[in-house]
Amino acid sequence: MTPEAQKRYDEKTARVQAAIALKEPDRVPMMPSAALFPMLNAGYTVAEVIYDTTLEKMEKSIVKYLEEFDPDCGLGTGTNYAGEGPMLELERPKNMRWAGMPGDVIDVNSIQQFIEYPTLLDDEFDEFFRDRTGWSLFKQAPRNSDFLVPLLKTLQGGRVSARSVAAQVSTPEFKAMLEDLWRLNELNQEYRKNAARLNKTVYEMGYPVFRQGGAAVPFDSYSDGLRGTILSLQDLYDHTEEVERYIEESIGPMLEMIRMQGKMPGAKGKHVFMALHKGIDGFMGDEHYRKYYWKHLQMIIEEIIKADMVPYIFCEGRYNTRLDCLTEVTPGKVFYHFEEVNMEVAKSKLKDIACIAGSFNTNLLQFGKPEQVRDEAKRLLDICAPGGGFIFMTGSGLSHVKKENVVAMFDTVREYGKY
């Protein structure tokens, strides 16, 4: 890293750290969620980037974005599945669609789409709690993908002998699965190597990447991965004991995972990302939220703090009715990123508790005019910047937005967001 890049790195790191500690840095840090915008801005389709296993297109996109807009954090491969197209084809997920996949199921410039359905059925709770491994292998796995079906048939084969196993693994289907596994591993090794190269490029440019690791509220895992949105809500009434049992069995391993993340090299001060899927206003009542959601989210937040890392909490959807709960954390250690909230109320309640960010509507960047963007940015800065504890971020990813509006947003924050 050159001396100039090191200076940039140190300034940006200090700026973000000051905001999280509820202090006033030299100016409001700016870290909008870049999402698809860097790829589109570089002239690539999302499909092209997903199927470029060298990650060169993603790297060029990120470098161009950093050079043009100079945000206060760097980017990695992110959650857009850059370079992972061939791996996804081998894995054959049933619950996901991605740009460029065979058959062009979704648009070449679409963000990935997830299909929600229950993998844990109403009559399987006893089996689920009695034999989690068996249920995961023989029920959940084939509902998510056909990839391991030949192996699962072998494991379910009954009496085991060398000859019977040899016969089962010598089928064309099993051989094809093994070939796919070898190829998947080769692709993954290549991906990891290229991702490390990309991360090194970003670092040497002088841009810190704050995220390291992640966590999840147990109820989100229950809803997202097992029962789906509708059934998980019904289960709060119809399967109360099962919900409580799952949550209590899950929170311990989650806290242990956080402790392990904190022991990783370079973890100190890094951000542990959590997206809150089912904490949204109106999904569950206040009593249910506190019992099944906030209680465990609070435990996770405090464990991240104990591990000397920063809880980065992305509050998806509207979060106005949850603000009182969000105040019940160790002050000056937490970073709340809101998709949609009354920022005036959020600032009032959280100004001495936690750093806040977000709630800038990206629809304005897609459909509005630069002057409208500047006015909204100034409005948010007037509300949230005084006293520090504010990072300027968009409510959701930039993706399909007008470049002139992105320019207007960055310029306004730099000029108007000085302390």
Side-chain angles (χ1 to χ4, degrees):
M1 184 185 293
T2 66
E4 179 184 6
Q6 185 67 59
K7 182 174 182 290
R8 179 185 298 117
Y9 186 96
D10 293 342
E11 287 177 348
K12 293 180 181 299
T13 300
R15 188 173 292 139
V16 173
Q17 289 177 340
I20 291 174
L22 307 181
K23 300 175 182 178
E24 291 185 351
D26 57 331
R27 66 167 174 80
V28 171
M30 184 139 191
M31 305 195 313
S33 303
L36 305 181
F37 177 71
M39 318 175 198
L40 302 176
N41 183 53
Y44 300 119
T45 66
V46 176
E48 285 179 302
V49 175
I50 287 177
Y51 276 87
D52 174 28
T53 58
T54 68
L55 289 180
E56 290 178 0
K57 289 182 172 66
M58 188 65 185
E59 185 171 343
K60 289 178 181 177
S61 300
I62 290 174
V63 169
K64 180 178 174 63
Y65 172 74
L66 296 177
E67 289 178 342
E68 287 188 358
F69 296 98
D70 191 32
D72 286 311
C73 68
L75 306 175
T77 54
T79 55
N80 297 314
Y81 295 90
E84 298 186 48
M87 287 193 286
L88 290 169
E89 286 192 22
L90 288 172
E91 292 170 327
R92 302 189 288 279
K94 296 179 180 180
N95 60 349
M96 179 183 169
R97 304 291 183 264
W98 63 93
M101 69 181 295
D104 291 325
V105 180
I106 63 174
D107 189 81
V108 294
N109 281 323
S110 173
I111 197 169
Q112 64 272 6
Q113 303 294 312
F114 293 100
I115 304 169
E116 184 182 271
Y117 52 82
T119 59
L120 174 60
L121 305 185
D122 288 350
D123 61 353
E124 293 175 358
F125 279 105
D126 287 343
E127 179 185 359
F128 174 79
F129 287 113
R130 183 181 67 254
D131 181 13
R132 188 75 57 89
T133 300
W135 176 86
S136 298
L137 279 172
F138 301 119
K139 298 291 177 65
Q140 186 180 44
R143 288 167 184 162
N144 286 332
S145 170
D146 291 329
F147 183 80
L148 295 177
V149 167
L151 174 63
L152 299 179
K153 288 181 178 178
T154 301
L155 295 175
Q156 288 179 312
R159 182 183 175 187
V160 176
S161 69
R163 294 182 184 182
S164 65
V165 171
Q168 292 177 58
V169 302
S170 297
T171 64
E173 294 81 10
F174 200 98
K175 290 180 180 179
M177 182 196 70
L178 289 178
E179 290 174 356
D180 285 347
L181 281 169
W182 276 89
R183 179 57 179 156
L184 182 60
N185 183 59
E186 291 171 353
L187 288 169
N188 190 48
Q189 293 298 321
E190 179 187 5
Y191 171 83
R192 291 167 64 89
K193 178 185 69 176
N194 292 332
R197 183 202 69 229
L198 187 157
N199 292 337
K200 183 179 180 182
T201 297
V202 172
Y203 171 77
E204 290 180 345
M205 291 178 68
Y207 289 90
V209 175
F210 295 103
R211 289 196 202 179
Q212 178 172 303
V217 177
F219 187 86
D220 279 340
S221 300
Y222 177 85
S223 180
D224 295 345
L226 297 174
R227 294 289 283 165
T229 301
I230 301 301
L231 289 181
S232 65
L233 179 58
Q234 294 176 351
D235 288 348
L236 293 175
Y237 302 91
D238 299 335
H239 291 285
T240 305
E241 292 182 5
E242 288 84 354
V243 173
E244 292 177 356
R245 182 175 176 181
Y246 174 84
I247 290 174
E248 293 308 316
E249 289 183 0
S250 300
I251 188 63
M254 177 58 63
L255 298 179
E256 179 59 27
M257 185 190 75
I258 291 167
R259 288 190 282 269
M260 294 301 295
Q261 288 180 13
K263 296 176 182 178
M264 295 176 64
K268 182 178 179 179
K270 291 291 188 177
H271 299 181
V272 179
F273 179 76
M274 294 180 66
L276 308 184
H277 294 164
K278 300 307 186 324
I280 185 173
D281 287 352
F283 180 78
M284 58 177 75
D286 292 343
E287 183 179 348
H288 277 155
Y289 179 79
R290 280 193 170 273
K291 182 176 181 179
Y292 297 111
Y293 204 93
W294 171 248
K295 173 184 175 182
H296 307 93
L297 172 56
Q298 185 184 41
M299 293 169 65
I300 293 170
I301 288 173
E302 294 300 330
E303 196 65 42
I304 294 170
I305 294 171
K306 287 180 186 177
D308 211 7
M309 298 183 291
V310 177
Y312 173 1
I313 314 300
F314 180 37
C315 304
E316 293 195 17
R318 292 184 180 178
Y319 235 77
N320 292 305
T321 65
R322 313 305 191 193
L323 292 174
D324 286 337
C325 288
L326 299 188
T327 65
E328 299 168 3
V329 296
T330 301
K333 300 292 184 180
V334 183
F335 173 25
Y336 292 124
H337 176 189
F338 296 101
E339 180 177 0
E340 185 179 351
V341 78
N342 184 323
M343 288 298 269
E344 192 168 3
V345 176
K347 179 69 175 181
S348 174
K349 289 180 179 289
L350 295 167
K351 63 181 179 181
D352 298 321
I353 302 295
C355 177
I356 62 174
S359 211
F360 185 98
N361 193 333
T362 51
N363 287 335
L364 192 60
L365 297 172
Q366 183 173 1
F367 302 109
K369 298 179 180 179
E371 189 58 38
Q372 294 174 303
V373 171
R374 284 190 285 269
D375 289 344
E376 177 61 10
K378 289 179 179 179
R379 187 187 72 84
L380 278 178
L381 289 166
D382 285 339
I383 293 170
C384 301
F390 177 57
I391 295 175
F392 193 98
M393 299 182 73
T394 49
S396 56
L398 297 180
S399 296
H400 300 279
V401 294
K402 298 176 183 176
K403 185 172 182 176
E404 60 266 29
N405 286 340
V406 179
V407 171
M409 179 179 66
F410 270 93
D411 288 348
T412 302
V413 175
R414 287 202 185 89
E415 296 168 5
Y416 199 73
K418 296 178 181 178
Y419 286 104

